mmCIF file of all heavy atoms in Angstrom:
data_model
loop_
_atom_site.group_PDB
_atom_site.id
_atom_site.type_symbol
_atom_site.label_atom_id
_atom_site.label_comp_id
_atom_site.label_asym_id
_atom_site.label_seq_id
_atom_site.Cartn_x
_atom_site.Cartn_y
_atom_site.Cartn_z
ATOM 1 N N LYS S 1341 -7.585 48.503 -5.436
ATOM 2 C CA LYS S 1341 -7.310 49.076 -4.115
ATOM 3 C C LYS S 1341 -5.826 48.698 -3.856
ATOM 4 O O LYS S 1341 -5.145 49.568 -3.160
ATOM 5 C CB LYS S 1341 -8.139 48.622 -3.084
ATOM 6 C CG LYS S 1341 -7.943 49.318 -1.745
ATOM 7 C CD LYS S 1341 -9.008 49.176 -0.685
ATOM 8 C CE LYS S 1341 -8.729 49.995 0.633
ATOM 9 N NZ LYS S 1341 -9.798 49.643 1.554
ATOM 10 N N GLN S 1370 5.276 51.158 -5.821
ATOM 11 C CA GLN S 1370 4.603 52.285 -4.968
ATOM 12 C C GLN S 1370 4.866 53.571 -5.546
ATOM 13 O O GLN S 1370 4.144 54.424 -5.638
ATOM 14 C CB GLN S 1370 4.936 52.173 -3.524
ATOM 15 C CG GLN S 1370 4.120 53.082 -2.624
ATOM 16 C CD GLN S 1370 2.633 52.753 -2.679
ATOM 17 O OE1 GLN S 1370 2.125 51.755 -2.328
ATOM 18 N NE2 GLN S 1370 1.798 53.743 -2.988
ATOM 19 N N LEU S 1373 3.020 54.189 -8.643
ATOM 20 C CA LEU S 1373 1.683 54.527 -8.329
ATOM 21 C C LEU S 1373 1.531 56.003 -8.018
ATOM 22 O O LEU S 1373 0.636 56.731 -8.360
ATOM 23 C CB LEU S 1373 1.075 53.637 -7.311
ATOM 24 C CG LEU S 1373 0.852 52.199 -7.617
ATOM 25 C CD1 LEU S 1373 0.635 51.291 -6.212
ATOM 26 C CD2 LEU S 1373 -0.348 51.996 -8.540
ATOM 27 N N ASN S 1374 2.515 56.403 -7.035
ATOM 28 C CA ASN S 1374 2.523 57.814 -6.800
ATOM 29 C C ASN S 1374 2.788 58.738 -8.046
ATOM 30 O O ASN S 1374 1.965 59.744 -8.127
ATOM 31 C CB ASN S 1374 3.684 58.028 -5.634
ATOM 32 C CG ASN S 1374 3.488 57.353 -4.493
ATOM 33 O OD1 ASN S 1374 2.403 56.923 -4.191
ATOM 34 N ND2 ASN S 1374 4.606 57.158 -3.746
ATOM 35 N N GLY S 1377 -0.298 59.448 -9.894
ATOM 36 C CA GLY S 1377 -1.374 60.222 -9.161
ATOM 37 C C GLY S 1377 -2.357 59.212 -8.462
ATOM 38 O O GLY S 1377 -3.515 59.574 -8.159
ATOM 39 N N LEU S 1378 -1.994 57.961 -8.253
ATOM 40 C CA LEU S 1378 -2.872 56.888 -7.724
ATOM 41 C C LEU S 1378 -2.414 56.531 -6.198
ATOM 42 O O LEU S 1378 -3.144 55.714 -5.592
ATOM 43 C CB LEU S 1378 -2.878 55.700 -8.587
ATOM 44 C CG LEU S 1378 -3.398 55.881 -10.074
ATOM 45 C CD1 LEU S 1378 -3.039 54.636 -10.938
ATOM 46 C CD2 LEU S 1378 -4.692 56.435 -10.238
ATOM 47 N N GLY S 1379 -1.192 57.015 -5.780
ATOM 48 C CA GLY S 1379 -0.588 56.493 -4.565
ATOM 49 C C GLY S 1379 -1.525 56.684 -3.358
ATOM 50 O O GLY S 1379 -1.400 55.992 -2.373
ATOM 51 N N ASP S 1380 -2.355 57.691 -3.436
ATOM 52 C CA ASP S 1380 -3.097 58.002 -2.141
ATOM 53 C C ASP S 1380 -4.278 56.982 -2.040
ATOM 54 O O ASP S 1380 -4.856 56.718 -0.859
ATOM 55 C CB ASP S 1380 -3.724 59.373 -2.234
ATOM 56 C CG ASP S 1380 -4.673 59.579 -3.467
ATOM 57 O OD1 ASP S 1380 -4.422 58.902 -4.454
ATOM 58 O OD2 ASP S 1380 -5.558 60.424 -3.420
ATOM 59 N N LYS S 1381 -4.793 56.329 -3.067
ATOM 60 C CA LYS S 1381 -5.910 55.327 -2.908
ATOM 61 C C LYS S 1381 -5.515 53.925 -3.301
ATOM 62 O O LYS S 1381 -6.271 52.982 -3.096
ATOM 63 C CB LYS S 1381 -7.022 55.754 -3.722
ATOM 64 C CG LYS S 1381 -6.729 56.033 -5.197
ATOM 65 C CD LYS S 1381 -7.990 56.499 -5.971
ATOM 66 C CE LYS S 1381 -7.822 56.548 -7.498
ATOM 67 N NZ LYS S 1381 -8.966 56.961 -8.272
ATOM 68 N N ILE S 1382 -4.373 53.666 -3.965
ATOM 69 C CA ILE S 1382 -3.991 52.314 -4.372
ATOM 70 C C ILE S 1382 -2.636 52.136 -3.755
ATOM 71 O O ILE S 1382 -1.700 52.800 -4.004
ATOM 72 C CB ILE S 1382 -3.850 52.164 -5.936
ATOM 73 C CG1 ILE S 1382 -5.264 52.440 -6.468
ATOM 74 C CG2 ILE S 1382 -3.403 50.747 -6.189
ATOM 75 C CD1 ILE S 1382 -5.191 52.331 -7.947
ATOM 76 N N LYS S 1383 -2.568 50.977 -2.922
ATOM 77 C CA LYS S 1383 -1.268 50.757 -2.140
ATOM 78 C C LYS S 1383 -0.687 49.360 -2.610
ATOM 79 O O LYS S 1383 -1.393 48.446 -2.990
ATOM 80 C CB LYS S 1383 -1.637 50.607 -0.658
ATOM 81 C CG LYS S 1383 -2.395 51.816 -0.091
ATOM 82 C CD LYS S 1383 -1.511 53.116 -0.203
ATOM 83 C CE LYS S 1383 -2.165 54.281 0.474
ATOM 84 N NZ LYS S 1383 -1.407 55.517 0.425
ATOM 85 N N SER S 1422 3.959 54.404 3.430
ATOM 86 C CA SER S 1422 3.129 54.557 2.312
ATOM 87 C C SER S 1422 1.571 54.323 2.681
ATOM 88 O O SER S 1422 0.805 54.579 1.760
ATOM 89 C CB SER S 1422 3.539 53.631 1.197
ATOM 90 O OG SER S 1422 3.352 52.270 1.521
ATOM 91 N N GLY S 1423 1.376 53.986 3.806
ATOM 92 C CA GLY S 1423 -0.025 53.752 4.340
ATOM 93 C C GLY S 1423 -0.609 52.416 3.859
ATOM 94 O O GLY S 1423 -1.754 52.332 3.680
#
Side-chain angles (χ1 to χ4, degrees):
K1341 188 171 183 182
Q1370 188 60 60
L1373 289 168
N1374 295 340
L1378 303 172
D1380 59 334
K1381 60 180 182 179
I1382 303 178
K1383 305 297 182 181
S1422 64

